[in-house]
Amino acid sequence: MKASRARNLPTPSVQRLPVYLRFLKEARRRGDDVVSCTRIAEEFGQLSVQVRKDLAITGVSGRPKVGYRVDELIEAIERFLGWDVKTTAFLVGAGNLGTAILNYEGFAEHGLDVVAAFDANPALFGKEINGRLVYPLDEIADRAAELRRQGRPVEMGVVTVPARAAQPVADRLVEIGVRAIWNYAPVRLDLPSDVVYEDVKLSASFAVLTNRLRRRDLEIVAD
Amino acid sequence: MKASRARNLPTPSVQRLPVYLRFLKEARRRGDDVVSCTRIAEEFGQLSVQVRKDLAITGVSGRPKVGYRVDELIEAIERFLGWDVKTTAFLVGAGNLGTAILNYEGFAEHGLDVVAAFDANPALFGKEINGRLVYPLDEIADRAAELRRQGRPVEMGVVTVPARAAQPVADRLVEIGVRAIWNYAPVRLDLPSDVVYEDVKLSASFAVLTNRLRRRDLEIVAD
């Protein structure tokens, strides 16, 4: 896991690419062919040099006094992020969080192709959520084998189960051969080093917010 | 917004505090009084010097060759994050994502006290989700005024509506006087500079994961 993390720096630059991408797609819709680094920096309240550095990881550099070609930059970001191809995925945990993810179309635009959902709760078996059926978790290996035979191996597992169920679910996903796990459960997973993974850290986001609020309070008191 | 961001560095350190906190609470349950920086670093695959730097922002430093006092460090992290006090909040958007957040108990442990949920969909009015009632969005100002009279002003708004509804909802939250917004909608909000905010960037998380997967593919091809 350490090796996998170390290899993927600079993470903050990667994390900023989606917002640049959204901005560039809006620019394309408006008919802009070229956009300057300064313009992007202004939009996001960042330093121009930081934007240039972020975008450079995709292999594209802007031309001095001209800027970036919008089409070229969109393509480079999507290729760098792997968003130019479809990623076949299973989602495990068809409760409210899983349903919210299945209903949100934004990830599909980034290539996420959730082909089936799984749950341990029989009340959910056979339910259809935004076009995907919910299967019994016990059938996950059979479904994966079927897709493999169709030439669509499952590459990613999206884990939206409660914390206590996350590790056993991750183990099953590893068994069926997924190569990536996107974990929404508030727990660290123990995974083989050849499986890439990412935790959605909602507590980290909440920490940043409440820390800001606390600091703001202290400033007001100090005033 | 720029000023607010710049003032809150180093964000990555703040983001790591919740996982240290969880680990420290487990240590306390096991009966450990003291924990070394090296032990924490090992647990999370980080450099010892990074852990020390992260923890130093809370104002606590470990004693050489001894380590941190677990109780003291837990208290310092919770105080630094503002998790030692309750934060009264409204949640707007009682769909699947909002329901998932209301059902998750973890944020309550960090002081988040969602006292009411709101939605524009009449089918949800009066529904109870984990002890919270869903009110019509149009009643949000009245509810906020009522709480203010009770000496419990609403400090935070949790935004779990679709992207197109997020800005108008944020505007209403600002009108009723919230001082912090936790935004789950995939859109950047335009907010007054005295309101602190944090976006839950699910696309950023997905970008990190798919970029890792793509890099792994390239390595395999190169082998």
Side-chain angles (χ1 to χ4, degrees), chain A residues 7 22 79-81 83-84 179 182 186 194 197-198 205 210-212 214-217 219, chain B residues 7 22 79-81 83-84 179 182 186 194 197-198 205 210-212 214-217 219:
Chain A
R7 198 185 293 131
R22 195 156 51 209
R79 195 174 50 236
F80 179 79
L81 296 179
W83 289 4
D84 55 336
R179 299 164 52 243
W182 198 17
D194 60 340
Y197 75 99
E198 167 72 6
S205 173
T210 53
N211 173 247
R212 280 180 192 158
R214 168 60 62 103
R215 289 188 193 206
R216 188 60 60 92
D217 288 344
E219 281 163 27
Chain B
R7 197 186 293 131
R22 194 156 53 208
R79 195 174 50 235
F80 179 78
L81 295 179
W83 289 4
D84 55 336
R179 300 164 51 244
W182 198 17
D194 59 341
Y197 74 99
E198 167 72 8
S205 173
T210 52
N211 172 248
R212 280 181 192 157
R214 167 61 61 103
R215 288 189 194 206
R216 189 60 58 91
D217 288 343
E219 283 163 26

Side-chain angles (χ1 to χ4, degrees), chain A residues 22-213:
Chain A
R22 195 156 51 209
F23 174 75
L24 289 162
K25 285 186 170 177
E26 279 163 26
R28 184 167 64 183
R29 267 192 292 275
R30 282 194 307 267
D32 297 350
D33 291 330
V34 173
V35 64
S36 73
C37 195
T38 318
R39 176 71 193 86
I40 302 175
E42 275 172 13
E43 178 71 18
F44 298 104
Q46 298 229 339
L47 294 176
S48 190
V49 61
Q50 181 64 63
V51 173
R52 191 169 294 116
K53 207 178 126 193
D54 290 344
L55 294 173
I57 64 175
T58 69
V60 165
S61 47
R63 272 172 298 177
K65 315 225 175 191
V66 181
Y68 295 93
R69 281 185 43 219
V70 172
D71 275 339
E72 187 191 9
L73 192 50
I74 288 174
E75 200 185 305
I77 293 174
E78 291 188 330
R79 195 174 50 236
F80 179 79
L81 296 179
W83 289 4
D84 55 336
V85 292
K86 277 204 174 181
T87 302
T88 304
F90 279 173
L91 179 142
V92 186
N96 287 299
L97 182 58
T99 301
I101 292 166
L102 291 170
N103 280 328
Y104 176 57
E105 305 288 350
F107 301 132
E109 281 171 39
H110 304 334
L112 180 65
D113 186 20
V114 178
V115 292
F118 297 86
D119 206 289
N121 179 3
L124 298 175
F125 300 166
K127 189 179 172 186
E128 193 176 314
I129 304 169
N130 198 12
R132 284 74 143 221
L133 274 179
V134 181
Y135 295 94
L137 183 54
D138 285 338
E139 293 180 13
I140 197 168
D142 292 344
R143 292 281 140 199
E146 195 180 310
L147 284 161
R148 208 176 302 115
R149 282 193 299 273
Q150 294 171 10
R152 289 196 300 163
V154 180
E155 295 171 277
M156 182 181 290
V158 184
V159 177
T160 50
V161 296
R164 67 183 179 286
Q167 185 64 52
V169 159
D171 292 342
R172 295 184 87 152
L173 287 165
V174 169
E175 274 168 32
I176 65 163
V178 303
R179 299 164 52 243
I181 286 185
W182 198 17
N183 175 38
Y184 280 73
V187 65
R188 294 177 66 238
L189 299 175
D190 190 13
L191 297 170
S193 63
D194 60 340
V195 174
V196 297
Y197 75 99
E198 167 72 6
D199 293 319
V200 174
K201 298 170 198 81
L202 298 180
S203 285
S205 173
F206 188 64
V208 170
L209 182 63
T210 53
N211 173 247
R212 280 180 192 158
L213 189 56

